[in-house]
Amino acid sequence: MPDAASSRRLFAADALLPTGWARDVLLEWDDTGKLSAVTPGIDAKGDAPRAIGPVLPGIPNLHSHAFQRAFAGLTEFRGEAQDSFWSWRTLMYRFAAKISPEQVEAIATWLYVEMLEAGYTSVCEFHYLHHDADGKPYADDAELSLALLRAAKRAGIGLTLLPVLYQTSGFGGRAPSEGQRRFIRSTDSMLRLLERLRPACEEQGARLGLAPHSLRAVPPEGLRDALAGLDAIDPSAPVHIHIAEQTGEVDACLAWSGQRPVAWLLDHAPVDARWCLVHATHMDADEYRRAAASGAVAGLCLTTEANLGDGIFDFNAWRAAGGRWGVGSDSHACVNAAEELMMLEYGQRLSTRQRNVGADAAHREVATALTISAVQGGAQAAGRPIGGLAVGQRADFVVLDSSHVALQGLSAPEMLSSHVFASHRTSALDSVYVAGQARVSGARHALHREAASAFVDVRSQLLAKD
Ligand SMILES: [Zn+2]
């Protein structure tokens, strides 16, 4: 029987540290799940268990709308002569209109199990479903937020909860539509919600932040007052916003203000390293430079952006300006950290007609370079100490299965490359640890079967005709 101390250690023949690959690394963490020592080059592993493959930092998922998992894959048919983000949104509103708190919890629990099995060890939940089906606040205004907190706790994933401020249906204060009735909040009611959620988040080790939905949905005074209120609660809390996802949104912002969305935001809000600019797909050269210089993280949701036909982020321009970035599964058409990295690289290859775009001066292997950057940017966006295998960070990591046919016999950097680019949609992950606890072993989460079955039941209920 291992004693408590040996169960808080792992020996890795290869581990990916923030600086790159290291050999013979002993990882040790304390009973709160924080890494207390990361020692490369040790001679003897003592009684520490040995990882069966290379150990990688867990990738933070910096953008999720949990309930959207229930209709992922169900919008892949032609509904209009020219389908777009906006026709997808109509179906999303139909689902959002009838979902119950119990259903949200079941969907989120399964989604978080899937995330853990796919190499994400934490999630930023951009949560905009607040009220009941009639648009009235629940008896406990935090009902749906608490459902997400419970789901994250049960699955064992790290959480940054970002309640969404949603007030208008378009630039210039356009009144919200009927389909948006469950999202709408005054600034005061949002600040009361944050106060209500604060102790529950602290108790669970979750971070609480704020997500002004977009410049379409939050007028300037709402944005200003909400940010001031957030500062009074926690001046370092993360702030996430959807921005410049669609060219239609850029055109509407220009018509309203004479400025593009990112330029407007940079001129009218205190954008800094607390901020995550989700998508930011459509920026001009000056916006790339200024947004990167602000210290904000670009929240890239590659498979969702591809699925919705958004466009391609200019990764070279962003990195040339020193920009930070991370990845999110957003609408959950794909829930797989490695596939987001592959899609990022492939989008750039297709648009620049070059290869190995994601490599950098320090790391020639694309998968290694992208993993290190996605972890650092994701941690910054999450506002949690989850920046990789280093002392003081959470012991959030994954172990590759070196017996997987795609990985067998390869070096550690080659195994990671194969995991990202050539595991053919099979899982090359063996185990996943969050705060030092194994949540996935043998590629399976302990709740896999039970959570999947509850999810399938809920999806059937939601698809049933009224
Ligand atoms: Zn989103």
Side-chain angles (χ1 to χ4, degrees), residues 63-65 68 85 88 126 128 213 241-242 245 278-279 301 304 308 330-331:
H63 193 63
S64 162
H65 309 285
Q68 294 183 9
F85 168 84
W88 169 85
F126 198 104
Y128 57 85
H213 179 274
I241 187 169
H242 288 138
E245 177 176 10
V278 181
H279 306 303
C301 307
T304 292
L308 294 176
D330 193 356
S331 69

Side-chain angles (χ1 to χ4, degrees), residues 302-303 306 311-313 315 338-359 366-367 370 417-425:
L302 297 307
T303 58
I312 297 179
F313 182 83
F315 192 56
E339 283 188 34
E340 292 302 329
L341 299 182
M342 180 177 78
M343 192 74 192
L344 170 59
E345 172 69 20
Y346 280 178
Q348 301 302 311
R349 289 187 190 187
L350 289 166
S351 64
T352 64
R353 286 175 281 165
Q354 290 175 4
R355 297 189 74 249
N356 301 324
V357 179
V366 177
L370 293 181
S417 295
S418 205
H419 167 57
V420 170
F421 290 105
S423 54
H424 299 186
R425 296 194 153 219

